[in-house]
């Protein structure tokens, strides 16, 4: 009986694993990893989109733009950097994807700004996002709307009275 329970658990775990793993897409020599967006509230007109772009090829590519038809009026690429004590956000015309390197779009760095949202982005929902690359062409990915990730435990332990 103990062996069959263990076997059943292993099978259930194996079946659940693909559901819990990040989703990804390929476009030419590019791998697009886990596109996601933060949820928004009623009346919020902008949202943030994130993903990882891994150029597995031997030539540079560029992300030239993105669109989310029916979800946002436009999608802009932005970078965020700290300059002294000020966080600066800049709109980008393109993002270079060097060969053999990964570029992360994540909170506090490169990100996609979803401008003119048509409706709130709700946790658990998905929407299509079309990415346009210089070499790899266009590819449509599904963006999962997910809650923000919790802060690392180390920052909580740094709090002293």
């Amino acid at each position: 009986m103990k062996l069959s329970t263990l076997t059943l658990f292993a099978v259930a775990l194996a079946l659940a694993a693909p559901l819990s793993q990040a989703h990804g897409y390929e476009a030419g020599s590019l791998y697009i990893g886990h596109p996601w967006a933060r949820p928004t509230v009623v009346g919020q007109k902008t949202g943030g989109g994130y993903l990882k772009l891994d150029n597995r090829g031997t030539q540079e590519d560029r992300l030239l733009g993105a669109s989310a038809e029916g979800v946002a009026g436009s999608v802009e690429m932005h970078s965020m950097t700290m300059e002294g004590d000020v966080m600066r956000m800049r709109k980008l015309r393109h993002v270079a994807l060097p060969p053999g390197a990964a570029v992360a779009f994540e909170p506090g760095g490169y990100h996609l700004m979803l401008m003119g949202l048509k409706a709130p982005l709700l946790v658990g929902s998905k929407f299509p996002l079309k990415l346009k690359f210089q070499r790899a062409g266009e590819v449509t990915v599904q963006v999962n709307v997910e809650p923000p990730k919790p802060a690392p435990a180390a920052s909580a332990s740094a709090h002293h009275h």
Side-chain angles (χ1 to χ4, degrees):
M1 182 71 167
K2 195 172 195 175
L3 181 58
S4 64
T5 303
L6 184 57
T7 303
L8 183 60
F9 176 75
V11 169
L13 188 61
L15 291 174
L19 298 176
S20 64
Q21 293 177 354
H23 59 292
Y25 303 85
E26 291 188 27
S29 62
L30 299 178
Y31 177 77
I32 302 154
H34 193 73
W36 68 281
R38 286 185 170 166
T40 61
V41 296
V42 174
Q44 189 174 335
K45 293 297 180 191
T46 60
Y50 312 98
L51 47 80
K52 184 176 178 185
L53 300 173
D54 188 2
N55 185 348
R56 297 176 176 172
T58 58
Q59 296 183 312
E60 179 176 288
D61 205 338
R62 289 181 177 189
L63 177 60
L64 301 176
S67 60
E69 199 168 310
V71 176
S74 64
V75 178
E76 297 179 357
M77 298 176 294
H78 288 189
S79 68
M80 288 182 76
T81 55
M82 284 297 291
E83 293 179 9
D85 294 337
V86 179
M87 180 69 80
R88 300 258 186 227
M89 186 165 54
R90 290 190 172 82
K91 182 179 174 181
L92 304 171
R93 291 180 2 151
H94 68 270
V95 174
L97 307 171
V103 177
F105 282 65
E106 56 193 9
Y110 288 128
H111 59 279
L112 300 171
M113 286 294 296
L114 305 160
M115 312 292 284
L117 290 174
K118 311 287 185 202
L121 302 176
L122 304 175
V123 171
S125 65
K126 299 177 185 207
F127 63 89
L129 177 73
K130 185 185 290 184
L131 301 169
K132 183 178 180 182
F133 298 97
Q134 183 177 28
R135 291 186 180 279
E138 293 184 354
V139 62
T140 299
V141 301
Q142 287 295 313
V143 176
N144 294 342
V145 180
E146 302 174 358
K149 311 288 185 265
S155 64
S157 65
H159 182 81
H160 300 285
H161 288 277

